[in-house]
Short mmCIF file of all heavy atoms in Angstrom, two decimals:
data_model
loop_
_atom_site.label_atom_id
_atom_site.label_comp_id
_atom_site.label_asym_id
_atom_site.label_seq_id
_atom_site.Cartn_x
_atom_site.Cartn_y
_atom_site.Cartn_z
N GLY A 47 4.06 -8.43 -7.14
CA GLY A 47 3.74 -7.56 -6.02
C GLY A 47 4.91 -6.66 -5.70
O GLY A 47 5.53 -6.10 -6.58
N THR A 48 5.18 -6.54 -4.39
CA THR A 48 6.27 -5.66 -4.02
C THR A 48 7.01 -6.25 -2.84
O THR A 48 6.55 -7.23 -2.23
CB THR A 48 5.74 -4.24 -3.69
OG1 THR A 48 6.86 -3.37 -3.56
CG2 THR A 48 4.93 -4.25 -2.41
N GLU A 95 6.11 -18.05 1.53
CA GLU A 95 5.05 -17.07 1.71
C GLU A 95 5.15 -15.98 0.64
O GLU A 95 4.15 -15.58 0.03
CB GLU A 95 5.13 -16.45 3.11
CG GLU A 95 4.04 -15.43 3.43
CD GLU A 95 2.65 -16.03 3.33
OE1 GLU A 95 2.46 -17.19 3.72
OE2 GLU A 95 1.74 -15.32 2.82
N CYS A 104 1.71 -18.36 5.79
CA CYS A 104 0.31 -17.92 5.88
C CYS A 104 -0.42 -18.25 4.58
O CYS A 104 -1.22 -17.43 4.09
CB CYS A 104 0.25 -16.43 6.17
SG CYS A 104 1.12 -15.97 7.68
N ALA A 105 -0.12 -19.38 4.00
CA ALA A 105 -0.79 -19.88 2.80
C ALA A 105 -0.60 -18.97 1.57
O ALA A 105 -1.31 -19.12 0.59
CB ALA A 105 -2.28 -20.11 3.07
N GLY A 106 0.32 -18.02 1.66
CA GLY A 106 0.52 -17.11 0.52
C GLY A 106 -0.48 -15.98 0.50
O GLY A 106 -0.48 -15.16 -0.43
N VAL A 107 -1.34 -15.91 1.50
CA VAL A 107 -2.36 -14.85 1.53
C VAL A 107 -1.72 -13.52 1.93
O VAL A 107 -1.97 -12.49 1.32
CB VAL A 107 -3.50 -15.22 2.51
CG1 VAL A 107 -4.52 -14.09 2.60
CG2 VAL A 107 -4.18 -16.50 2.05
N GLY A 108 -0.88 -13.58 2.95
CA GLY A 108 -0.30 -12.33 3.46
C GLY A 108 0.83 -11.81 2.59
O GLY A 108 0.96 -10.61 2.38
N GLY A 109 1.67 -12.71 2.12
CA GLY A 109 2.83 -12.27 1.34
C GLY A 109 3.87 -11.59 2.21
O GLY A 109 3.88 -11.72 3.43
N SER A 110 4.72 -10.83 1.54
CA SER A 110 5.87 -10.21 2.21
C SER A 110 5.52 -9.40 3.46
O SER A 110 6.24 -9.40 4.43
CB SER A 110 6.58 -9.33 1.19
OG SER A 110 7.43 -8.41 1.81
N GLN A 111 4.39 -8.71 3.43
CA GLN A 111 4.11 -7.72 4.47
C GLN A 111 3.16 -8.19 5.56
O GLN A 111 2.92 -7.44 6.51
CB GLN A 111 3.49 -6.45 3.86
CG GLN A 111 4.32 -5.78 2.80
CD GLN A 111 3.79 -4.40 2.50
OE1 GLN A 111 3.90 -3.50 3.29
NE2 GLN A 111 3.19 -4.23 1.33
N HIS A 112 2.56 -9.36 5.39
CA HIS A 112 1.54 -9.78 6.36
C HIS A 112 1.79 -11.21 6.79
O HIS A 112 1.27 -12.15 6.19
CB HIS A 112 0.13 -9.65 5.77
CG HIS A 112 -0.08 -8.35 5.04
ND1 HIS A 112 0.14 -8.22 3.69
CD2 HIS A 112 -0.44 -7.13 5.48
CE1 HIS A 112 -0.09 -6.97 3.33
NE2 HIS A 112 -0.44 -6.28 4.39
N VAL A 113 2.63 -11.34 7.81
CA VAL A 113 3.02 -12.66 8.28
C VAL A 113 2.59 -12.80 9.74
O VAL A 113 2.83 -11.91 10.56
CB VAL A 113 4.55 -12.84 8.17
CG1 VAL A 113 5.02 -14.10 8.89
CG2 VAL A 113 4.98 -12.88 6.70
N TYR A 114 1.94 -13.92 10.05
CA TYR A 114 1.63 -14.23 11.45
C TYR A 114 2.09 -15.66 11.67
O TYR A 114 1.52 -16.60 11.10
CB TYR A 114 0.12 -14.09 11.71
CG TYR A 114 -0.30 -14.27 13.16
CD1 TYR A 114 0.61 -14.25 14.21
CD2 TYR A 114 -1.65 -14.44 13.47
CE1 TYR A 114 0.20 -14.39 15.53
CE2 TYR A 114 -2.08 -14.58 14.79
CZ TYR A 114 -1.14 -14.56 15.80
OH TYR A 114 -1.56 -14.70 17.10
N SER A 120 3.27 -9.34 11.38
CA SER A 120 3.56 -8.09 10.68
C SER A 120 2.34 -7.62 9.91
O SER A 120 1.47 -8.43 9.55
CB SER A 120 4.74 -8.27 9.72
OG SER A 120 4.43 -9.21 8.71
N THR A 121 2.26 -6.32 9.69
CA THR A 121 1.19 -5.80 8.83
C THR A 121 1.70 -4.58 8.09
O THR A 121 2.62 -3.89 8.53
CB THR A 121 -0.11 -5.49 9.60
OG1 THR A 121 -1.07 -4.98 8.67
CG2 THR A 121 0.09 -4.48 10.70
N GLY A 122 1.09 -4.32 6.92
CA GLY A 122 1.62 -3.33 5.99
C GLY A 122 1.04 -1.94 6.12
O GLY A 122 1.38 -1.07 5.33
N VAL A 123 0.15 -1.72 7.08
CA VAL A 123 -0.40 -0.38 7.26
C VAL A 123 0.37 0.29 8.39
O VAL A 123 0.34 -0.17 9.52
CB VAL A 123 -1.91 -0.41 7.57
CG1 VAL A 123 -2.46 1.00 7.66
CG2 VAL A 123 -2.65 -1.21 6.51
N GLU A 126 -0.48 1.16 12.47
CA GLU A 126 -1.54 0.31 12.97
C GLU A 126 -1.08 -0.63 14.09
O GLU A 126 -1.85 -1.00 14.96
CB GLU A 126 -1.99 -0.55 11.79
CG GLU A 126 -3.42 -0.87 11.70
CD GLU A 126 -3.69 -1.54 10.35
OE1 GLU A 126 -3.10 -2.59 10.06
OE2 GLU A 126 -4.49 -0.98 9.60
N TRP A 306 -4.91 -22.54 -0.14
CA TRP A 306 -5.53 -21.74 0.92
C TRP A 306 -6.94 -22.25 1.19
O TRP A 306 -7.77 -22.29 0.28
CB TRP A 306 -5.57 -20.27 0.47
CG TRP A 306 -6.26 -19.34 1.43
CD1 TRP A 306 -6.28 -19.41 2.78
CD2 TRP A 306 -7.01 -18.18 1.07
NE1 TRP A 306 -6.99 -18.35 3.31
CE2 TRP A 306 -7.45 -17.58 2.29
CE3 TRP A 306 -7.35 -17.57 -0.13
CZ2 TRP A 306 -8.22 -16.42 2.31
CZ3 TRP A 306 -8.11 -16.41 -0.11
CH2 TRP A 306 -8.53 -15.85 1.11
N PHE B 81 -2.33 4.53 -1.18
CA PHE B 81 -3.13 3.36 -1.56
C PHE B 81 -4.54 3.58 -1.01
O PHE B 81 -4.68 3.97 0.16
CB PHE B 81 -2.55 2.08 -0.96
CG PHE B 81 -1.28 1.61 -1.62
CD1 PHE B 81 -0.05 2.13 -1.25
CD2 PHE B 81 -1.31 0.64 -2.63
CE1 PHE B 81 1.12 1.70 -1.86
CE2 PHE B 81 -0.13 0.21 -3.24
CZ PHE B 81 1.08 0.74 -2.86
N ALA B 82 -5.55 3.29 -1.83
CA ALA B 82 -6.93 3.56 -1.43
C ALA B 82 -7.28 2.90 -0.09
O ALA B 82 -8.11 3.41 0.66
CB ALA B 82 -7.89 3.07 -2.51
N ASP B 83 -6.62 1.79 0.21
CA ASP B 83 -6.86 1.11 1.49
C ASP B 83 -6.70 2.07 2.67
O ASP B 83 -7.38 1.96 3.68
CB ASP B 83 -5.85 -0.04 1.67
CG ASP B 83 -5.73 -0.91 0.44
OD1 ASP B 83 -5.30 -0.40 -0.62
OD2 ASP B 83 -6.08 -2.08 0.53
N PHE B 84 -5.75 3.01 2.52
CA PHE B 84 -5.45 3.91 3.64
C PHE B 84 -6.43 5.07 3.72
O PHE B 84 -6.31 5.90 4.62
CB PHE B 84 -4.01 4.44 3.54
CG PHE B 84 -2.98 3.38 3.28
CD1 PHE B 84 -1.85 3.67 2.54
CD2 PHE B 84 -3.15 2.09 3.76
CE1 PHE B 84 -0.90 2.69 2.28
CE2 PHE B 84 -2.20 1.10 3.50
CZ PHE B 84 -1.08 1.40 2.76
N ALA B 86 -9.12 4.62 4.70
CA ALA B 86 -9.77 4.29 5.97
C ALA B 86 -9.22 5.17 7.08
O ALA B 86 -9.92 5.52 8.02
CB ALA B 86 -9.57 2.81 6.31
N GLY B 118 -7.58 -0.91 -6.20
CA GLY B 118 -7.65 -2.13 -6.99
C GLY B 118 -6.46 -3.06 -6.84
O GLY B 118 -5.40 -2.68 -6.34
N GLY B 119 -6.67 -4.28 -7.29
CA GLY B 119 -5.69 -5.34 -7.10
C GLY B 119 -5.12 -5.85 -8.41
O GLY B 119 -4.84 -5.08 -9.31
N ASN B 120 -4.97 -7.17 -8.48
CA ASN B 120 -4.34 -7.83 -9.63
C ASN B 120 -2.89 -7.42 -9.81
O ASN B 120 -2.34 -7.51 -10.90
CB ASN B 120 -5.13 -7.56 -10.92
CG ASN B 120 -6.44 -8.33 -10.94
OD1 ASN B 120 -6.45 -9.55 -10.76
ND2 ASN B 120 -7.55 -7.63 -11.09
N ARG B 121 -2.28 -6.98 -8.74
CA ARG B 121 -0.86 -6.64 -8.80
C ARG B 121 -0.05 -7.36 -7.75
O ARG B 121 1.14 -7.10 -7.60
CB ARG B 121 -0.67 -5.12 -8.65
CG ARG B 121 -1.15 -4.36 -9.88
CD ARG B 121 -0.95 -2.87 -9.76
NE ARG B 121 0.44 -2.48 -9.74
CZ ARG B 121 0.94 -1.43 -10.42
NH1 ARG B 121 0.15 -0.72 -11.20
NH2 ARG B 121 2.19 -1.09 -10.32
N GLY B 122 -0.68 -8.24 -6.98
CA GLY B 122 0.06 -9.03 -5.99
C GLY B 122 0.54 -8.23 -4.80
O GLY B 122 1.49 -8.63 -4.13
N TYR B 123 -0.12 -7.11 -4.50
CA TYR B 123 0.33 -6.27 -3.40
C TYR B 123 -0.18 -6.73 -2.03
O TYR B 123 0.21 -6.18 -1.01
CB TYR B 123 -0.10 -4.82 -3.61
CG TYR B 123 0.71 -4.04 -4.63
CD1 TYR B 123 0.32 -2.77 -5.02
CD2 TYR B 123 1.87 -4.56 -5.19
CE1 TYR B 123 1.06 -2.03 -5.94
CE2 TYR B 123 2.61 -3.83 -6.12
CZ TYR B 123 2.20 -2.57 -6.49
OH TYR B 123 2.92 -1.84 -7.39
N GLY B 124 -1.09 -7.67 -2.02
CA GLY B 124 -1.53 -8.21 -0.74
C GLY B 124 -2.72 -7.48 -0.13
O GLY B 124 -3.20 -6.47 -0.66
N PRO B 125 -3.20 -8.01 1.01
CA PRO B 125 -4.49 -7.63 1.57
C PRO B 125 -4.65 -6.15 1.96
O PRO B 125 -5.78 -5.66 1.99
CB PRO B 125 -4.62 -8.49 2.82
CG PRO B 125 -3.63 -9.60 2.65
CD PRO B 125 -2.55 -9.09 1.77
N THR B 126 -3.55 -5.45 2.26
CA THR B 126 -3.72 -4.06 2.71
C THR B 126 -3.34 -3.03 1.63
O THR B 126 -3.28 -1.84 1.91
CB THR B 126 -2.85 -3.76 3.96
OG1 THR B 126 -1.46 -3.92 3.62
CG2 THR B 126 -3.21 -4.67 5.11
N HIS B 127 -3.08 -3.51 0.42
CA HIS B 127 -2.67 -2.58 -0.65
C HIS B 127 -3.39 -2.88 -1.96
O HIS B 127 -2.88 -2.55 -3.02
CB HIS B 127 -1.16 -2.68 -0.89
CG HIS B 127 -0.30 -2.13 0.20
ND1 HIS B 127 -0.28 -2.65 1.47
CD2 HIS B 127 0.59 -1.11 0.21
CE1 HIS B 127 0.59 -1.98 2.21
NE2 HIS B 127 1.13 -1.04 1.47
N SER B 128 -4.55 -3.50 -1.90
CA SER B 128 -5.19 -3.98 -3.13
C SER B 128 -6.68 -3.73 -3.20
O SER B 128 -7.31 -4.10 -4.18
CB SER B 128 -4.97 -5.50 -3.25
OG SER B 128 -3.61 -5.82 -3.17
N GLN B 129 -7.24 -3.13 -2.16
CA GLN B 129 -8.69 -3.09 -2.10
C GLN B 129 -9.29 -2.05 -3.03
O GLN B 129 -8.65 -1.11 -3.45
CB GLN B 129 -9.14 -2.77 -0.67
CG GLN B 129 -8.82 -3.85 0.32
CD GLN B 129 -9.00 -3.36 1.75
OE1 GLN B 129 -10.06 -3.50 2.31
NE2 GLN B 129 -7.97 -2.78 2.30
N SER B 130 -10.58 -2.27 -3.28
CA SER B 130 -11.41 -1.28 -3.96
C SER B 130 -12.46 -0.87 -2.93
O SER B 130 -13.54 -1.47 -2.85
CB SER B 130 -12.07 -1.91 -5.19
OG SER B 130 -11.07 -2.30 -6.10
N PRO B 131 -12.14 0.11 -2.11
CA PRO B 131 -13.00 0.39 -0.95
C PRO B 131 -14.14 1.37 -1.23
O PRO B 131 -14.69 1.94 -0.31
CB PRO B 131 -12.01 0.99 0.06
CG PRO B 131 -11.00 1.69 -0.79
CD PRO B 131 -10.93 0.95 -2.10
N HIS B 134 -17.36 1.48 0.94
CA HIS B 134 -17.38 2.00 2.31
C HIS B 134 -17.75 3.48 2.36
O HIS B 134 -18.03 4.01 3.43
CB HIS B 134 -16.02 1.79 2.97
CG HIS B 134 -15.63 0.35 3.05
ND1 HIS B 134 -16.39 -0.59 3.69
CD2 HIS B 134 -14.55 -0.31 2.57
CE1 HIS B 134 -15.81 -1.78 3.59
NE2 HIS B 134 -14.70 -1.63 2.91
N LYS B 172 -5.12 0.96 -10.18
CA LYS B 172 -3.66 0.91 -10.36
C LYS B 172 -3.26 0.17 -11.64
O LYS B 172 -2.21 0.45 -12.21
CB LYS B 172 -3.02 0.24 -9.14
CG LYS B 172 -3.32 0.97 -7.83
CD LYS B 172 -2.40 0.57 -6.71
CE LYS B 172 -2.69 -0.78 -6.09
NZ LYS B 172 -3.91 -0.80 -5.25
N SER B 267 -15.54 -6.14 -2.65
CA SER B 267 -15.95 -7.46 -2.17
C SER B 267 -17.47 -7.50 -2.00
O SER B 267 -18.13 -6.48 -1.81
CB SER B 267 -15.25 -7.78 -0.85
OG SER B 267 -15.58 -6.82 0.12
N SER B 300 -14.04 -11.68 0.81
CA SER B 300 -12.74 -12.21 1.24
C SER B 300 -11.70 -11.11 1.29
O SER B 300 -11.83 -10.09 0.60
CB SER B 300 -12.29 -13.26 0.20
OG SER B 300 -10.94 -13.62 0.38
N VAL B 301 -10.65 -11.34 2.07
CA VAL B 301 -9.46 -10.49 1.92
C VAL B 301 -8.84 -10.81 0.57
O VAL B 301 -9.13 -11.84 -0.04
CB VAL B 301 -8.41 -10.71 3.05
CG1 VAL B 301 -8.98 -10.38 4.41
CG2 VAL B 301 -7.85 -12.12 3.01
N ILE B 302 -7.98 -9.93 0.11
CA ILE B 302 -7.33 -10.13 -1.20
C ILE B 302 -5.93 -10.68 -0.97
O ILE B 302 -5.07 -10.00 -0.42
CB ILE B 302 -7.28 -8.80 -1.98
CG1 ILE B 302 -8.70 -8.27 -2.18
CG2 ILE B 302 -6.57 -8.99 -3.32
CD1 ILE B 302 -8.77 -6.85 -2.68
N PRO B 303 -5.72 -11.94 -1.36
CA PRO B 303 -4.42 -12.56 -1.09
C PRO B 303 -3.29 -11.93 -1.90
O PRO B 303 -3.52 -11.35 -2.96
CB PRO B 303 -4.62 -14.02 -1.52
CG PRO B 303 -6.08 -14.20 -1.69
CD PRO B 303 -6.64 -12.86 -2.03
N ALA B 304 -2.08 -12.11 -1.40
CA ALA B 304 -0.91 -11.59 -2.10
C ALA B 304 -0.52 -12.48 -3.28
O ALA B 304 -0.18 -11.98 -4.35
CB ALA B 304 0.27 -11.47 -1.13
N ALA B 305 -0.55 -13.79 -3.08
CA ALA B 305 -0.08 -14.70 -4.14
C ALA B 305 -0.98 -14.57 -5.36
O ALA B 305 -2.21 -14.69 -5.24
CB ALA B 305 -0.07 -16.13 -3.62
N PRO B 306 -0.41 -14.36 -6.52
CA PRO B 306 -1.23 -14.12 -7.72
C PRO B 306 -2.23 -15.22 -8.02
O PRO B 306 -3.36 -14.92 -8.43
CB PRO B 306 -0.19 -14.01 -8.84
CG PRO B 306 1.08 -13.62 -8.16
CD PRO B 306 1.03 -14.23 -6.80
N LEU B 308 -3.85 -17.01 -5.99
CA LEU B 308 -4.99 -16.90 -5.07
C LEU B 308 -5.76 -15.60 -5.32
O LEU B 308 -6.99 -15.58 -5.27
CB LEU B 308 -4.49 -16.93 -3.63
CG LEU B 308 -3.71 -18.18 -3.20
CD1 LEU B 308 -3.16 -18.00 -1.78
CD2 LEU B 308 -4.59 -19.42 -3.27
N GLU B 309 -5.02 -14.54 -5.59
CA GLU B 309 -5.65 -13.23 -5.82
C GLU B 309 -6.60 -13.29 -7.02
O GLU B 309 -7.72 -12.79 -6.98
CB GLU B 309 -4.57 -12.16 -6.06
CG GLU B 309 -5.14 -10.77 -6.23
CD GLU B 309 -4.09 -9.73 -6.59
OE1 GLU B 309 -3.15 -10.06 -7.34
OE2 GLU B 309 -4.21 -8.58 -6.14
N ILE B 312 -10.04 -14.54 -6.28
CA ILE B 312 -10.88 -13.71 -5.42
C ILE B 312 -11.45 -12.52 -6.20
O ILE B 312 -12.62 -12.17 -6.05
CB ILE B 312 -10.05 -13.20 -4.21
CG1 ILE B 312 -9.66 -14.37 -3.30
CG2 ILE B 312 -10.81 -12.12 -3.43
CD1 ILE B 312 -10.81 -15.19 -2.79
N LEU B 313 -10.62 -11.93 -7.04
CA LEU B 313 -11.07 -10.76 -7.80
C LEU B 313 -11.81 -11.20 -9.06
O LEU B 313 -11.66 -12.32 -9.53
CB LEU B 313 -9.87 -9.87 -8.15
CG LEU B 313 -9.11 -9.31 -6.94
CD1 LEU B 313 -7.92 -8.48 -7.39
CD2 LEU B 313 -10.04 -8.47 -6.06
#
Side-chain angles (χ1 to χ4, degrees):
Chain A
T48 190
E95 182 59 38
C104 302
V107 177
S110 163
Q111 302 193 71
H112 315 92
V113 170
Y114 185 15
S120 63
T121 179
V123 184
E126 215 172 59
W306 177 34
Chain B
F81 287 84
D83 312 63
F84 312 148
N120 288 306
R121 289 181 67 137
Y123 284 173
T126 62
H127 290 63
S128 306
Q129 293 167 92
S130 297
H134 300 302
K172 301 197 284 288
S267 60
S300 168
V301 298
I302 301 168
L308 301 174
E309 183 185 36
I312 294 304
L313 298 178

